[in-house]
Amino acid sequence: MKTKFKNIIIAEIGSNHDGKLSLAKKHVLAAKKCNADYVKFQMHIAEEETLKKAPSPDYFKDEDRFSYFKRINFSFKEWKKLKNFCKLNNIGFLCSPFSIKAVDIMENLGVKLYKVPSGELTNLPLLENLVQTGKPLIVSTGMSIKAEIEKSVSF
């Protein structure tokens, strides 16, 4: 069956840069070498997503979630440098927002589209904010059940 959509390859970098811009750039170059169309990062803003005393999941072994999000988030200037680095290397820049404030920052960066994280598929205030940007959305569904997907799509 022929479709009007082209398959795209997105290299998931997420937060694997560990808050280091130089490592993020190395990941971008590796993704480019693998012929990815886009690299995708995650924008976590600790104050918008979690409480300082919130219990951490098992995979947060050495630091609490709040401290981790503080440590790995880039400043606006660093995000801008990273986005420009992607442009210079002819690879698309994507970033998954985990809060409305993250969407605001990405709007100021001038992103062209968004990728909704699967864990945020039921976050209707975030989805509403993303829809209001008028930009295309790529929606991840990996952590969702069919009813959640249907509700979010109809929303």
Side-chain angles (χ1 to χ4, degrees):
M1 180 169 104
K2 200 155 188 150
T3 178
K4 66 179 182 173
F5 298 106
K6 164 189 168 287
N7 290 326
I8 58 172
I9 298 172
I10 301 171
E12 172 67 39
I13 296 173
S15 299
N16 289 316
H17 50 74
D18 203 36
K20 297 173 182 81
L21 188 59
S22 60
L23 183 55
K25 289 178 177 181
K26 286 180 183 177
H27 287 311
V28 168
L29 294 176
K32 179 65 179 172
K33 187 175 180 180
C34 293
N35 295 316
D37 299 300
Y38 288 87
V39 289
K40 198 221 33 111
F41 295 92
Q42 296 175 349
M43 185 178 290
H44 291 284
I45 302 172
E47 297 83 0
E48 301 293 318
E49 294 178 49
T50 190
L51 301 170
K52 287 184 180 180
K53 300 290 183 185
S56 293
D58 291 339
Y59 54 87
F60 280 86
K61 302 227 184 281
D62 298 325
E63 64 189 321
D64 61 82
R65 185 190 309 241
F66 187 91
S67 299
Y68 174 75
F69 287 159
K70 290 291 280 184
R71 182 173 58 77
I72 58 97
N73 195 25
F74 292 132
S75 68
F76 181 80
K77 186 176 177 180
E78 289 170 318
W79 281 116
K80 192 167 184 106
K81 284 181 182 179
L82 187 55
K83 184 176 175 278
N84 289 336
F85 185 79
C86 291
K87 185 176 181 177
L88 287 170
N89 285 282
N90 200 30
I91 189 166
F93 174 86
L94 280 172
C95 192
S96 288
F98 286 80
S99 66
I100 291 172
K101 186 172 182 177
V103 175
D104 293 342
I105 292 168
M106 284 188 246
E107 281 295 291
N108 286 326
L109 282 172
V111 299
K112 298 188 189 298
L113 69 150
Y114 290 97
K115 183 165 180 295
V116 178
S118 59
E120 299 302 317
L121 185 67
T122 59
N123 183 342
L124 298 183
L126 179 63
L127 290 178
E128 182 176 4
N129 190 259
L130 287 167
V131 168
Q132 287 177 356
T133 69
K135 296 181 179 164
L137 302 178
I138 298 171
V139 180
S140 295
T141 59
M143 293 179 61
S144 306
I145 61 172
K146 185 177 179 183
E148 292 171 330
I149 296 166
E150 290 171 348
K151 181 179 178 182
S152 295
V153 169
S154 68
F155 171 78

